[in-house]
Structures are given as C-alpha cells and as structure tokens.
Amino acid sequence: MVVTGEKNTKHQVVIVGGGFGGLYTAKYLANANVNVTLIDKRNFHLFQPLLYQVATGTLSPGDISSPLRAVFSKSKNTQVLLGEVSDIDPKAQKVMMGNQVIPYDTLIVATGANHSYFGKEHWKDLAPGLKTVEDAIEMRRRIFGAFEAAEKETDPEKRSAWLTFVIVGGGPTGVELAGAIAELAYKTLKEDFRSIDTSETKILLLQGGDRILPHISPDLSEEATASLRKLGVVINTKTRVTDIENDIVTFKQNGEVSSIHSKTILWAAGVKGSTMGKILAERTDVELDHAGRVVVEPDLTVRDYKNIFVIGDLANFSHQDGKPLPGVAPVAKQQGEYVAKLIRRRWRGSTLPQFHYNDVGSLAMIGQNLAVVDLGFLQLTGFPAWVFWLIIHIYFLIEFDTKLLVVFQWAWNYITRNRRSRLITGREAFTEPQTPVNKSSRLLDA
Amino acid sequence: MVVTGEKNTKHQVVIVGGGFGGLYTAKYLANANVNVTLIDKRNFHLFQPLLYQVATGTLSPGDISSPLRAVFSKSKNTQVLLGEVSDIDPKAQKVMMGNQVIPYDTLIVATGANHSYFGKEHWKDLAPGLKTVEDAIEMRRRIFGAFEAAEKETDPEKRSAWLTFVIVGGGPTGVELAGAIAELAYKTLKEDFRSIDTSETKILLLQGGDRILPHISPDLSEEATASLRKLGVVINTKTRVTDIENDIVTFKQNGEVSSIHSKTILWAAGVKGSTMGKILAERTDVELDHAGRVVVEPDLTVRDYKNIFVIGDLANFSHQDGKPLPGVAPVAKQQGEYVAKLIRRRWRGSTLPQFHYNDVGSLAMIGQNLAVVDLGFLQLTGFPAWVFWLIIHIYFLIEFDTKLLVVFQWAWNYITRNRRSRLITGREAFTEPQTPVNKSSRLLDA
C-alpha cells in the first residue's frame, strides 16, 4: 500500500531499531502528521562510534547513551516501544512482537549488523566483538583483567600471554582499539603496577586486506600505520586468522602459518546483517547479499514493497558507484533523513529522486593527538586531525543530547532533572561460558 | 607481634578492603616507611553514598568509582592486589588468597558489611539491596524496566503492580531511593510515556522503627517525613515486613497485617558484617555482635592481637557512648586515619590514646532542592540543606579524585590520559534467578 493522505485514520509509521538510521527517521518525522512507533530492544540509543572508548575505560556507557524516551519526550506523535520484533507480515502490513501485533502503513527496518566470524561462530566467546554496551563492558573487563592477572602471575610465559593483546580487523574499530590499548599499556598504566612492566605489553593488529583503514586514502592509511607502529602496535596485513583455541591465535600471512599466545583476543572484523534481514527475505523474497544485508532499491525500499524501507548497516545500497555504501553512521543518518522526507512527500502525493549519499569523509582516532581525517578535498593527520575528530564527535553527540559536553554534568542533572544514565543493561547478555577473564578471577582461588 | 622499627626488613602492612576505611588507611600510610599491600575484590573504590544515584539513573558507575591503582599510582610503597582473602592465620601473621600467602606485620580488616535479610536470605532475589555496582545496575534495570513493562501492560491490576515501588528500610539509603524514584515518576518521566501516566506511581517506604532517619534529630526526621510525603511517598513506620513472595509484600503495622502487589521491591534495611568477621572470630576468638560485626578494643584492635585492626562498617566500636558507631563513611575514614597514625607512632616506639569519633553530623538527600542536614550545632532543611549536601559530596569526591566535578570530563580524560571508568564489573554477579525485570523482558514474547 502506498502512502496516501487519509484524513480520518492517521498514517502509521513503524520503525524497527533505534540506531542512527531509526533515530534520525523518527526525528525527521517528529512533527509530521503521522503516528510513529519506534521499536527497540533497548531503552537507549547508543553512540556506537565511541563504544571503543567504553571498552578501554575512557567513557562510561551512560556517556554515550541517550534514553530513547527522553529523545522523543516532546514528540507527541512518537511512541517508543521496548521489545524485539519476531516477525513481519508484509501483506497484512503488520509486525509481530511475540503475541503483540502492530499494524503499519509504512515500515522502516533499521536493525543494523553484527560481527561475522566467517562461519566460526564458536570464536565469539574466545574473541568477543564490540557492538553493544555489554560487549564493551566485557571487553573492558578482559583488558583490565588481563593486566591484573599478569600482575599476579609468576610464570613468565603465562605472564607474557596476559600481556599480549590480539585485535582481529584493521577497520576503524580495530585501529581505535589498538591505539587505545597501546596508550593504556605504554602511558596510562605505566606507574600503576608493582610486579609487571606494562611497557612489555605486545599489541598485534591483524588485517586481512593489504592495508589498514581500507575506506580512507592509501596515503592516510600509511600515515595511520606509521603512527600506530610508533605507538608500539605490531601490524600484520594480508593476514587471515585460521584458528582460535583458548589462548592461541593461529594466522596465515603470505602462506606462512604463525601462532601467538594471547589471553585477550578482540574481534573487530566482518559484517553480518541482523536477523531481521533474514525475516524480510523470507517474507518478501528480497535478495540478501553474501553478508546477509538486504539489497535495496534506489529509493531504499524493498523490491515490490514501496512501503517497506531498509536503511543503515542492514541495507546494501549499491546504486551510487556499484559498491555497497559503508556501514557508518553518516550513511544511516542520511538514509533516515531521506526516508522521513519521502514519507512526507508521499503524504502530499509527491515523491523524491533516488537516495544519494553525500560522502562526508572518513576519520579514525589513533591516540593522544593522533588521528587521520579524509574529507576528500582535505586530508588531515596528527594533532589537527585529532582536534577535528574531537569537534566532529562532540558536534554529533550534542545534536540530540548535550551528554558529552558534560560541563558540570552532575549539577546539570539536578537542575534539569535529566537522568542521563538510565540504560537497562541485560543480565541475559552475561550468560556466555567462562572465558579468559573468568579464568583470571578463578586464579584468585588457584 | 607489636610493631617495631626494624631497619632491614620493612614493616609489612596488609589492608583488606578498599572502601573508605581501607582507602584512608592506605592514603595516610602512603609516604610512611612501611610496605603497604591493599587487597580488594574489585579494582576500584566505590563512593557508596552516591550509589543510589546510579540505581536511579542520575550517575554512571564510572562517575563514583576510582581505580585503586590510579589512586596509589604515585605511592611506591603501596601495592594493590586484586583478589579475595580466603583465610587468616593470626599466629603465623599471614593472610591467604587461595594458595597465595601474604605475610603481614600489621593487618587491617576493612571489608565492610552487607544487608541483613533477618534470616530470610531467599528474599534477596525478590528484594535486592544496594551495596555494589552490580546491585545498582540491577536496581536501575528493575526500576526503569518496571515503567517499560507498565507501558506495555493492558491489565490494570498488573499495570498497577508494575507502577508500585516498595522500599524496605527508612535509613538514608531508603529515604534517598524513595525520594529519587518519586522525582523520576512524578517529574522526570512524566512526558516520556504514551500509555501510562507515571503520576499514578505508588511509592511505599516501610520503616521498622518509629521514625525514618533515626540517626538524625527527631525534628529533622519529621521534616524529612513531611518533605517525602509532599513528594508523594507513602511512609509506614513501625512496620515490619513479614513475607515477600513474588510480587506481594506482606507487612505488619501495629499488629495489623496488610499486603500490597508490587513488582519492584527494594531492600535498604539491616546490617550484616562481611564474612571476614566470621573468619576473624574463628581464628582469634574475638567477639561478634548480633549483626556479625567485630567487637573491637578502644584502639580498634582485636582483643589479644595488637597488630590486627578492624575498622569501618565491620567494626562494632562501642567505647564512646556505649552504642556502636554508625556504619557511615566519616567513621570509616576517621578510623583509617587513626590506624595509620597509630602505626606510624608505634614505629617510633610511641602510641596514641584510644580512638575517638569526631561526629561530623548526618545528612540525607530527599530530592530536588530538598535535603536534611544535622550538624548538631546547626540544622538545615530544604534548599540550603540541598546545597550543603551537594558541596559536601563534591568536596569528599574530589579529595582523592576530581571525578564528579566533571568539568569537560571528556577533554580532561584525553589531556591527562586518565581512565576514570576502568572498573571491572563481573559477569558472575548476573547469575541470580529470574526476577521482575526478566519477567518484563519475557513479556516481549508473551
């Protein structure tokens, strides 16, 4: 059913997912003459680009989370629902949350992507990824727990395994994690231990492709490589992990197989569309790409369903230069804006030309005073890039929340009655089997 | 063995517990000619008086936690050890952490207290307490989860149970929780929901004694009662909980038994000395009081063991006015200072008169612009008390960490390379059985 401007029953827009895509769609529909239902499993929007800073102890989860209800408190046409969509019926125009049925006129699916372990799903517990607050807290626990375990370990080989960090994946997350751990080990924690010398820490960054940060220009990628190496990170490109078993990572570089003992293996590789993609494919026959992402039409709709949109990391949009757009926040944000605008246009009986991504450039933080920024027309490195990175992130953060300005955060909380940390983090997320840091806590009794 | 100033082998001080007592002992021994080992189960000191603000979503755990290693980074005579003491051998002067044996010349036990459920330990899962970061996150999950569940609930009786909060215990924690939940329900969240009216929330504070905040003057207690009632909290004094079963709290007031349906029952009552008290009693024959606290000598030592001190919430010090000192931060802090000073004196062959608590008064936050402060010579209520409360807490917090000033927290973190949120929170803490909020998440499929 295509959207029309009916007078009596308001047009129902259902958005599944409160990441950048879903959040911006809802924001741009905030005062439109439609009813919006925003469904998310969590009660907060997470500013994922800074999640690595939670994993490495710089920020608290509350600092990069915005309660969805607070964001839409004043948008009286918007209802936030906490829950997980279990099915879609595109013919009857309904989404199901268990027994609860929610009808829609227009559906936006923005449930994002997870890490792919390339078919080795059991690696997940040995090498956790970084997508949720719980992931970040688990990584933080492993990273800081490793230094604690090393401090107590007397066997030099085991101690060295505790002080060895392997990061799989050389995209922005992998690079930022490697840089942050290097700063931790070689700077922040230097004075904090009595038995170990944290400067003996080994940090290994494994990248499948022939250079790190493949999305930025080769020059900047080289610059980032040099900066990371100067910080003390060992970078192996053209390297594929072939096995992870307990504390041993085995990898292949140029046909040569090596392995390294490490108690802390962190995963920052691979993309796998969330399960909503599979549900959509089953119900609408839409094509999924090899990573399980939904291949969308030029206007971000699902083929044959003009009232179902897929945006953000779950969408494979290849109508610009033949390659899918990268899974980054600006793409999701622009797609959310586009869909909201298109819905408003349709309501007026009009339409929009196809979606076009306006490339805002790429950037990655490496460390204190070190970053790379590629805006196409302008490339920055070192301190200027670092300042630029800070300003950009603060700018995006304050766009819908003053969170990270944090000027007199506490007083402010009182005065405005804002509750900035009201995330509901799940106990269910903590049911994985015993893994490195648990070993460390078991060490206490051993 | 009494402390003497041996030249060759440095005097070994072992402190168990990094709360206020242990932390201040270590701080005041930072530059003394002794070796200090500070043992804690966690890698951070927790500013417990503000834990209720984490539970109610105002602060993040990282905001009220200081990494112990960072606190003692510059104190080269201080070693921080992460672990749990499993036993003590007072004759051999050793503490055991599993197989690891740590010798001491002087031992300070400062492991604090837990909530007492008055023999009904199974209530713990139904009515969680507030002592650790995990407790606070669990409470936060239940509180905010209850509003979410109410928003989705269509049955009016069940909805009402989700919107009913029962707080057991009218001490500072209970009062502060009740006030904070009232502000949440009646102010902060007022605009955030579409199906429920959060102003219908019922908040019940149950207190065993005949008034709330028994440690402050009756006048101020009455003032606090009036303020809480004005906020919308129902206060039942002289009320004892007789049963908790699923969502029903049964209680007895003046012989009359009532019960109320509530999905969120929070425990802020009772004191039970930590298990180190029991271990000490078994090994030294020291007396424990009815709450499992160690009855200490006038100089805070354990009877017959001049080199074992017990301080803070675990100590029952009744040498001042016959009653045990309250389990509050200023007592623990002053006891830590006293013990550190006494150790320094003994090292010089001298000693100190018995410990004397210099009462700094009591205070409790009720809500926005509402607090009560009892300094003995000065009593404050309302806005002046609120301002005083803020200043005092900021003052104590910045004494060893600039955390809560949080002026440009983020920038500061970068510039100083401080990692203020590096707590290692445990997965093990998340293994309790299903309780209200899990029901709420199960509702999604029901």
Side-chain angles (χ1 to χ4, degrees):
Chain A
M1 194 190 95
V2 178
V3 179
T4 55
E6 289 167 304
K7 284 272 150 85
N8 291 330
T9 58
K10 255 198 191 168
H11 191 84
Q12 299 291 329
V13 177
V14 171
I15 302 168
V16 187
F20 284 102
L23 190 86
Y24 278 94
T25 310
K27 265 180 77 76
Y28 283 87
L29 288 173
N31 298 309
N33 191 22
V34 294
N35 282 332
V36 177
T37 302
L38 176 60
I39 303 172
D40 198 287
K41 289 191 280 186
R42 313 307 294 264
N43 70 335
F44 54 91
H45 167 76
L46 183 65
F47 194 87
Q48 262 189 4
L50 288 178
L51 201 53
Y52 83 96
Q53 297 209 353
V54 175
T56 51
T58 300
L59 295 175
S60 284
D63 297 334
I64 59 165
S65 307
S66 308
L68 287 171
R69 292 197 185 281
V71 174
F72 295 105
S73 176
K74 300 265 178 288
S75 316
K76 296 301 177 194
N77 69 330
T78 309
Q79 168 150 39
V80 175
L81 273 190
L82 195 65
E84 194 164 357
V85 169
S86 49
D87 207 350
I88 299 172
D89 184 340
K91 303 280 185 297
Q93 299 193 168
K94 280 169 182 162
V95 300
M96 268 65 80
M97 283 169 57
N99 286 344
Q100 201 178 342
V101 175
I102 299 154
Y104 66 80
D105 295 307
T106 299
L107 175 65
I108 294 110
V109 179
T111 50
N114 299 311
H115 292 292
S116 163
Y117 284 86
F118 310 118
K120 311 279 175 94
E121 291 309 312
H122 60 285
W123 289 358
K124 200 181 170 194
D125 297 331
L126 304 168
L130 187 61
K131 287 287 182 188
T132 67
V133 164
E134 285 77 13
D135 288 346
I137 288 174
E138 174 61 17
M139 256 196 199
R140 182 174 74 181
R141 200 159 74 89
R142 292 189 187 208
I143 292 168
F144 290 100
F147 289 107
E148 295 294 341
E151 174 83 351
K152 283 190 287 192
E153 182 59 67
T154 48
D155 180 279
E157 234 172 83
K158 286 184 188 162
R159 174 178 282 191
S160 158
W162 281 118
L163 289 180
T164 300
F165 296 83
V166 177
I167 296 134
V168 184
T173 300
V175 164
E176 288 170 334
L177 276 175
I181 295 172
E183 294 223 311
L184 257 185
Y186 306 139
K187 293 173 185 168
T188 310
L189 299 181
K190 222 170 63 183
E191 303 281 314
D192 283 9
F193 291 86
R194 300 293 174 258
S195 305
I196 56 168
D197 179 356
T198 60
S199 69
E200 289 171 8
T201 301
K202 276 177 258 171
I203 302 160
L204 189 58
L205 180 63
L206 305 180
Q207 163 71 335
D210 59 358
R211 60 186 180 97
I212 59 169
L213 301 174
H215 283 299
I216 66 172
S217 74
D219 280 5
L220 280 181
S221 171
E222 210 167 288
E223 191 82 35
T225 302
S227 297
L228 273 178
R229 287 197 169 134
K230 210 173 146 196
L231 268 182
V233 176
V234 177
I235 302 173
N236 282 14
T237 54
K238 297 180 194 163
T239 302
R240 299 213 165 265
V241 171
T242 55
D243 200 19
I244 302 177
E245 210 177 326
N246 292 321
D247 339 326
I248 304 175
V249 188
T250 307
F251 51 91
K252 207 172 183 175
Q253 188 180 26
N254 300 324
E256 201 177 313
V257 177
S258 320
S259 68
I260 189 167
H261 277 263
S262 167
K263 293 276 193 180
T264 315
I265 307 156
L266 308 175
W267 197 263
V271 176
K272 190 177 70 181
S274 51
T275 49
M276 278 297 290
K278 247 175 105 178
I279 294 173
L280 263 180
E282 279 170 24
R283 300 289 179 242
T284 68
D285 285 328
V286 70
E287 186 192 345
L288 299 184
D289 70 8
H290 66 283
R293 288 175 300 194
V294 176
V295 177
V296 294
E297 301 298 297
D299 61 356
L300 299 170
T301 56
V302 166
R303 205 183 47 207
D304 300 336
Y305 292 88
K306 298 304 282 179
N307 67 335
I308 303 181
F309 294 88
V310 180
I311 61 174
D313 288 5
L314 183 59
N316 174 331
F317 179 90
S318 307
H319 304 281
Q320 202 147 321
D321 58 2
K323 283 190 303 183
L325 291 177
V328 294
V331 170
K333 189 188 161 198
Q334 288 181 29
Q335 291 180 337
E337 289 171 18
Y338 173 86
V339 170
K341 207 171 164 189
L342 182 53
I343 291 170
R344 284 168 175 266
R345 285 282 177 98
R346 285 180 178 179
W347 193 80
R348 298 203 306 262
S350 169
T351 187
L352 268 184
Q354 77 160 72
F355 173 72
H356 183 272
Y357 175 53
N358 173 24
D359 193 347
V360 293
S362 310
L363 64 181
M365 168 67 84
I366 293 161
Q368 183 83 0
N369 302 343
L370 279 177
V372 287
V373 172
D374 187 352
L375 304 180
F377 66 96
L378 177 70
Q379 302 191 333
L380 300 171
T381 60
F383 183 70
W386 183 72
V387 171
F388 186 86
W389 188 96
L390 282 178
I391 291 169
I392 283 291
H393 280 79
I394 290 173
Y395 172 80
F396 278 115
L397 278 162
I398 62 175
E399 208 180 358
F400 54 92
D401 197 340
T402 55
K403 188 143 305 163
L404 266 194
L405 266 191
V406 206
V407 187
F408 293 108
Q409 163 184 314
W410 200 41
W412 179 255
N413 271 354
Y414 268 101
I415 293 156
T416 64
R417 295 196 183 103
N418 179 23
R419 304 280 169 146
R420 64 169 39 113
S421 311
R422 61 169 122 134
L423 18 163
I424 302 174
T425 54
R427 176 187 290 166
E428 288 83 355
F430 291 85
T431 51
E432 292 154 306
Q434 300 274 336
T435 32
V437 167
N438 284 315
K439 279 186 198 157
S440 119
S441 62
R442 263 190 275 130
L443 275 182
L444 312 180
D445 318 308
Chain B
M1 193 190 99
V2 179
V3 179
T4 54
E6 288 168 306
K7 285 273 151 86
N8 291 331
T9 57
K10 256 198 191 167
H11 190 84
Q12 299 291 329
V13 177
V14 171
I15 303 168
V16 187
F20 285 102
L23 190 87
Y24 277 94
T25 310
K27 265 181 76 76
Y28 283 87
L29 288 173
N31 299 310
N33 190 23
V34 294
N35 282 331
V36 177
T37 302
L38 175 61
I39 303 172
D40 199 285
K41 288 190 281 186
R42 313 306 294 264
N43 71 334
F44 54 91
H45 167 75
L46 183 67
F47 195 88
Q48 262 187 3
L50 288 178
L51 201 53
Y52 83 96
Q53 298 210 354
V54 174
T56 52
T58 300
L59 295 175
S60 283
D63 296 335
I64 59 165
S65 306
S66 309
L68 287 171
R69 293 197 185 281
V71 174
F72 295 105
S73 176
K74 299 266 178 288
S75 316
K76 295 301 177 195
N77 69 329
T78 308
Q79 169 149 39
V80 174
L81 273 189
L82 194 65
E84 192 164 359
V85 169
S86 50
D87 207 351
I88 298 172
D89 184 340
K91 303 280 186 296
Q93 300 192 166
K94 281 168 183 162
V95 299
M96 267 66 78
M97 282 168 58
N99 286 343
Q100 201 179 341
V101 175
I102 299 155
Y104 66 80
D105 295 307
T106 299
L107 175 66
I108 294 111
V109 180
T111 49
N114 299 311
H115 292 292
S116 163
Y117 285 86
F118 310 119
K120 309 279 176 93
E121 291 310 310
H122 60 287
W123 288 359
K124 202 182 169 192
D125 297 330
L126 303 169
L130 188 61
K131 287 286 182 190
T132 67
V133 163
E134 285 77 14
D135 288 346
I137 288 173
E138 174 62 16
M139 259 196 197
R140 182 175 73 183
R141 201 157 76 89
R142 293 190 186 209
I143 293 167
F144 290 100
F147 289 105
E148 295 294 340
E151 174 83 349
K152 283 189 288 190
E153 183 59 67
T154 47
D155 181 278
E157 236 173 81
K158 284 184 190 162
R159 177 180 279 192
S160 158
W162 281 118
L163 289 179
T164 300
F165 296 82
V166 177
I167 296 135
V168 184
T173 301
V175 165
E176 288 170 333
L177 276 175
I181 295 172
E183 295 223 310
L184 257 185
Y186 307 138
K187 293 173 185 169
T188 310
L189 299 181
K190 224 171 60 184
E191 304 282 314
D192 284 9
F193 292 85
R194 301 293 176 258
S195 306
I196 56 168
D197 178 357
T198 61
S199 68
E200 290 170 8
T201 301
K202 276 178 257 170
I203 301 160
L204 189 59
L205 179 63
L206 304 180
Q207 163 71 334
D210 58 359
R211 60 186 179 97
I212 60 169
L213 300 173
H215 283 301
I216 66 171
S217 75
D219 280 6
L220 280 181
S221 170
E222 211 168 288
E223 190 81 38
T225 302
S227 297
L228 273 179
R229 287 196 171 133
K230 212 174 145 197
L231 268 181
V233 177
V234 177
I235 302 173
N236 282 13
T237 54
K238 296 179 193 161
T239 302
R240 300 213 164 266
V241 172
T242 55
D243 200 20
I244 302 178
E245 210 177 325
N246 292 322
D247 337 328
I248 304 174
V249 188
T250 308
F251 51 91
K252 207 172 184 176
Q253 188 180 25
N254 300 323
E256 201 177 313
V257 177
S258 320
S259 68
I260 188 166
H261 277 262
S262 166
K263 292 276 193 181
T264 313
I265 307 156
L266 308 175
W267 196 264
V271 176
K272 190 177 69 179
S274 51
T275 48
M276 278 297 290
K278 247 175 105 179
I279 294 173
L280 262 181
E282 280 170 22
R283 300 290 179 240
T284 68
D285 285 329
V286 71
E287 187 193 344
L288 300 185
D289 70 9
H290 66 285
R293 287 175 300 195
V294 177
V295 177
V296 294
E297 301 299 297
D299 60 356
L300 300 170
T301 56
V302 166
R303 204 183 48 206
D304 302 335
Y305 292 88
K306 297 304 281 178
N307 67 336
I308 303 182
F309 295 88
V310 180
I311 62 176
D313 288 5
L314 183 60
N316 174 331
F317 179 90
S318 308
H319 304 281
Q320 203 146 321
D321 58 3
K323 285 190 303 183
L325 291 177
V328 295
V331 170
K333 187 189 161 196
Q334 289 181 28
Q335 291 180 335
E337 289 172 16
Y338 172 86
V339 170
K341 205 170 165 191
L342 182 53
I343 290 170
R344 284 167 176 268
R345 284 284 179 97
R346 284 179 178 180
W347 193 80
R348 297 203 306 263
S350 170
T351 187
L352 269 184
Q354 79 161 72
F355 173 72
H356 184 273
Y357 175 54
N358 175 26
D359 193 347
V360 292
S362 309
L363 64 181
M365 168 66 83
I366 293 160
Q368 183 84 0
N369 303 342
L370 278 177
V372 287
V373 172
D374 187 353
L375 304 180
F377 65 96
L378 176 71
Q379 301 191 333
L380 301 171
T381 60
F383 183 71
W386 183 73
V387 170
F388 185 87
W389 187 95
L390 281 178
I391 291 170
I392 283 292
H393 280 79
I394 290 173
Y395 171 80
F396 277 115
L397 278 162
I398 62 174
E399 209 180 359
F400 54 91
D401 199 338
T402 55
K403 188 144 307 162
L404 268 195
L405 266 191
V406 207
V407 186
F408 293 107
Q409 163 184 316
W410 199 42
W412 180 254
N413 271 355
Y414 265 101
I415 292 156
T416 64
R417 295 193 184 108
N418 180 21
R419 304 280 169 145
R420 61 169 42 111
S421 312
R422 62 171 119 133
L423 20 163
I424 302 174
T425 54
R427 174 187 292 165
E428 288 82 354
F430 291 84
T431 51
E432 290 154 305
Q434 300 273 339
T435 33
V437 168
N438 284 316
K439 280 185 199 157
S440 119
S441 61
R442 262 189 275 131
L443 276 183
L444 311 180
D445 318 308

XYZ file of all heavy atoms in Angstrom, chain B residues 278-304:
213
model
N 33.528 -13.363 60.441
C 33.413 -14.751 60.892
C 34.780 -15.432 60.911
O 35.118 -16.161 61.859
C 32.470 -15.516 59.955
C 31.169 -15.941 60.624
C 30.233 -16.570 59.616
C 30.156 -18.082 59.755
N 29.203 -18.669 58.770
N 35.554 -15.206 59.846
C 36.894 -15.810 59.774
C 37.746 -15.309 60.944
O 38.407 -16.088 61.635
C 37.559 -15.470 58.414
C 36.795 -16.137 57.270
C 39.018 -15.885 58.409
C 37.258 -15.732 55.876
N 37.688 -14.012 61.196
C 38.449 -13.427 62.310
C 38.038 -14.042 63.639
O 38.874 -14.375 64.486
C 38.209 -11.923 62.360
C 39.253 -11.000 61.728
C 38.827 -9.560 61.899
C 40.637 -11.224 62.343
N 36.716 -14.183 63.819
C 36.208 -14.729 65.083
C 36.703 -16.155 65.275
O 37.125 -16.543 66.373
C 34.682 -14.677 65.094
N 36.678 -16.948 64.214
C 37.142 -18.334 64.307
C 38.622 -18.412 64.644
O 39.063 -19.269 65.407
C 36.893 -19.066 62.987
C 35.455 -19.545 62.837
C 35.173 -20.049 61.422
O 36.137 -20.419 60.714
O 33.994 -20.036 61.025
N 39.413 -17.492 64.061
C 40.863 -17.589 64.199
C 41.402 -16.883 65.448
O 42.480 -17.198 65.923
C 41.551 -16.999 62.959
C 41.182 -17.688 61.655
C 41.775 -19.085 61.573
N 41.379 -19.730 60.334
C 40.680 -20.859 60.281
N 40.330 -21.479 61.393
N 40.368 -21.391 59.123
N 40.643 -15.889 65.959
C 41.173 -15.108 67.084
C 40.280 -15.166 68.318
O 40.629 -14.602 69.359
C 41.316 -13.616 66.705
O 40.002 -13.059 66.535
C 42.123 -13.420 65.429
N 39.127 -15.794 68.196
C 38.162 -15.846 69.296
C 37.593 -14.485 69.658
O 37.006 -14.321 70.729
C 38.776 -16.486 70.550
C 38.904 -17.994 70.398
O 38.052 -18.580 69.701
O 39.865 -18.554 70.952
N 37.732 -13.516 68.786
C 37.152 -12.203 69.063
C 35.625 -12.316 69.030
O 35.061 -13.167 68.333
C 37.648 -11.152 68.040
C 37.038 -11.395 66.664
C 37.344 -9.742 68.521
N 34.969 -11.459 69.806
C 33.513 -11.492 69.896
C 32.876 -10.810 68.683
O 33.356 -9.769 68.230
C 33.093 -10.759 71.183
C 31.602 -10.849 71.504
C 31.204 -9.849 72.600
O 32.119 -9.332 73.296
O 30.006 -9.580 72.743
N 31.810 -11.407 68.165
C 30.994 -10.756 67.142
C 29.691 -10.298 67.777
O 29.168 -10.962 68.669
C 30.678 -11.721 65.995
C 31.851 -12.318 65.205
C 31.328 -13.152 64.035
C 32.761 -11.211 64.674
N 29.155 -9.160 67.325
C 27.846 -8.751 67.846
C 26.737 -9.472 67.080
O 27.003 -10.291 66.196
C 27.695 -7.220 67.834
C 27.574 -6.655 66.429
O 27.440 -7.435 65.461
O 27.618 -5.424 66.284
N 25.479 -9.167 67.407
C 24.356 -9.884 66.798
C 24.311 -9.717 65.275
O 23.732 -10.520 64.563
C 23.046 -9.391 67.403
C 22.766 -7.950 67.057
N 23.425 -6.898 67.657
C 21.946 -7.405 66.128
C 22.999 -5.767 67.121
N 22.109 -6.049 66.209
N 24.946 -8.632 64.764
C 24.936 -8.385 63.324
C 26.205 -8.926 62.652
O 26.448 -8.657 61.485
C 24.793 -6.892 63.050
N 26.999 -9.683 63.419
C 28.202 -10.260 62.827
C 29.360 -9.277 62.711
O 30.326 -9.536 62.004
N 29.259 -8.150 63.415
C 30.359 -7.179 63.399
C 31.354 -7.508 64.507
O 30.979 -8.006 65.587
C 29.818 -5.756 63.591
C 29.093 -5.225 62.377
C 28.485 -3.882 62.675
N 27.528 -3.967 63.784
C 26.648 -3.013 64.074
N 26.616 -1.902 63.359
N 25.803 -3.165 65.077
N 32.618 -7.165 64.264
C 33.674 -7.488 65.211
C 33.699 -6.445 66.334
O 33.817 -5.240 66.067
C 35.036 -7.510 64.493
C 36.157 -7.771 65.497
C 35.025 -8.559 63.386
N 33.582 -6.903 67.576
C 33.628 -6.009 68.733
C 35.103 -5.656 68.982
O 35.898 -6.519 69.352
C 33.002 -6.687 69.967
C 33.123 -5.777 71.192
C 31.543 -7.034 69.677
N 35.451 -4.406 68.714
C 36.868 -4.031 68.769
C 37.220 -3.336 70.088
O 36.350 -2.850 70.814
C 37.254 -3.114 67.583
C 37.151 -3.872 66.264
C 36.413 -1.845 67.573
N 38.516 -3.300 70.364
C 39.055 -2.644 71.555
C 39.041 -1.120 71.348
O 38.815 -0.648 70.220
C 40.488 -3.129 71.792
C 40.600 -4.648 71.986
C 39.821 -5.113 73.199
O 40.174 -4.696 74.317
O 38.840 -5.871 73.037
N 39.321 -0.357 72.408
C 39.286 1.106 72.267
C 40.254 1.645 71.211
O 40.051 2.729 70.671
C 39.674 1.600 73.670
C 39.242 0.500 74.592
C 39.467 -0.773 73.835
N 41.321 0.878 70.920
C 42.247 1.333 69.874
C 41.974 0.634 68.547
O 42.841 0.593 67.672
C 43.703 1.124 70.303
C 44.020 -0.341 70.589
O 43.081 -1.187 70.521
O 45.183 -0.647 70.866
N 40.783 0.065 68.382
C 40.320 -0.576 67.148
C 40.996 -1.903 66.844
O 40.821 -2.471 65.754
C 40.469 0.376 65.931
C 39.680 1.680 66.024
C 40.088 2.628 64.904
C 38.176 1.402 65.933
N 41.785 -2.404 67.803
C 42.413 -3.708 67.581
C 41.464 -4.827 68.004
O 40.438 -4.602 68.652
C 43.710 -3.858 68.403
O 43.421 -3.631 69.789
C 44.772 -2.875 67.933
N 41.853 -6.029 67.610
C 41.156 -7.242 68.012
C 41.768 -7.696 69.337
O 42.987 -7.658 69.497
C 41.343 -8.314 66.914
C 40.935 -9.695 67.411
C 40.553 -7.927 65.677
N 40.937 -8.107 70.287
C 41.433 -8.490 71.608
C 42.558 -9.517 71.491
O 42.443 -10.490 70.731
C 40.289 -9.064 72.452
C 40.530 -8.945 73.958
C 39.402 -9.584 74.732
N 39.121 -10.906 74.201
C 37.942 -11.499 74.306
N 36.935 -10.879 74.879
N 37.750 -12.724 73.805
N 43.639 -9.283 72.228
C 44.824 -10.156 72.246
C 45.688 -10.047 70.989
O 46.718 -10.718 70.888
C 44.466 -11.637 72.472
C 43.715 -11.847 73.772
O 43.885 -11.002 74.679
O 42.961 -12.828 73.883
